[in-house]
Amino acid sequence: VQLVESGGGLVKPGRSLRLSCTASGFSFPDDALSWFRQAPGKGLEWVGFIRSTPAGGETEFGASVRGRFTISRDDSKNIAYLQMDSLNTDDSAVYYCTRVFRGGWYPDYWGQGTLVTVSS
Amino acid sequence: ETTLTQSPAFLSAAPGDRVNISCRADQDLDDDLNWYQRKPGEAAIFIIQDASTLVPGISPRFSGSGYGTDFTLTINNIQSEDAAYYFCLQHDNFPWTFGQGTKVEI
């Protein structure tokens, strides 16, 4: 199993950014994916998840990003996306993509992360 | 939302030492707590599931214990390759929450 995040970078406050999570080594449509983030010097924070396609592909988000972030998936490409709008400086963090283990409903495999810096 | 208090934030150990990392919850989690290891620039690795079950393929030098609100990750005979950031995650209730993490130096 491998998860590779991409798309991070420097973005100005109020702008948007889309992160990608490219997956391999498992049956992508059948698993939920989740995004987490870790700001410098802080602990990890759950951002949101997208359920598997058989489960309807529904999404849920943490309170700090709800209404600004969306998650989608392209099962034909084995990619999950995190669309981040109306970014602010508090969104600066390393963003991680994970697979959600079906047997326990928690992250098992992680990506190496991609850095997002929101600054003017 | 469950708060996890992880300690210490940093520890330095010598090869061969036994080290303990604590994760305390502010509510009963049963055994719904996992431990992960992350090295700089690498993906985090899942090492302990459900408080005490070693994930297949993980060195048996790692062990987990605890139930309810107090949990411990133990690394026996610590080696240089164990230098990493370790964090706990609770999956008893949503949202998932994490301890603040422990940086282990060898």
Side-chain angles (χ1 to χ4, degrees), chain A residues 49-111:
Chain A
F49 68 73
I50 184 166
R51 295 188 187 278
S52 68
T53 296
E58 297 168 340
T59 58
E60 291 193 31
F61 296 91
S64 62
V65 306
R66 197 174 298 135
R68 299 187 298 122
F69 289 14
T70 57
I71 299 174
S72 60
R73 61 191 302 154
D74 185 337
D75 291 345
S76 69
K77 297 180 179 178
N78 281 13
I79 299 178
Y81 300 100
L82 176 65
Q83 176 68 39
M84 305 184 293
D85 298 326
S86 302
L87 285 162
N88 58 63
T89 55
D90 290 339
D91 297 317
S92 295
V94 178
Y95 284 74
Y96 299 95
C97 168
T98 76
R99 189 184 76 166
V100 179
F101 174 56
R102 282 179 250 169
W105 192 250
Y106 47 73
D108 56 358
Y109 290 96
W110 296 66

Side-chain angles (χ1 to χ4, degrees), chain B residues 37 47-48 54 58-64 73-75 82 86:
Chain B
Q37 175 199 68
I47 57 175
I48 299 288
L54 190 66
I58 300 301
S59 169
R61 293 184 291 100
F62 292 90
S63 64
L73 172 68
T74 299
I75 310 173
D82 300 329
Y86 294 85

Side-chain angles (χ1 to χ4, degrees), chain A residues 12-68:
Chain A
K12 295 184 186 309
R15 297 290 185 91
S16 298
L17 196 65
R18 188 179 78 164
L19 306 182
S20 299
C21 172
T22 303
S24 60
F26 62 99
S27 181
F28 185 82
D30 294 326
D31 280 304
L33 283 295
S34 188
W35 287 91
F36 298 86
R37 67 184 181 182
Q38 186 164 25
K42 301 287 183 65
L44 282 152
E45 176 189 14
W46 170 66
V47 172
F49 68 73
I50 184 166
R51 295 188 187 278
S52 68
T53 296
E58 297 168 340
T59 58
E60 291 193 31
F61 296 91
S64 62
V65 306
R66 197 174 298 135
R68 299 187 298 122

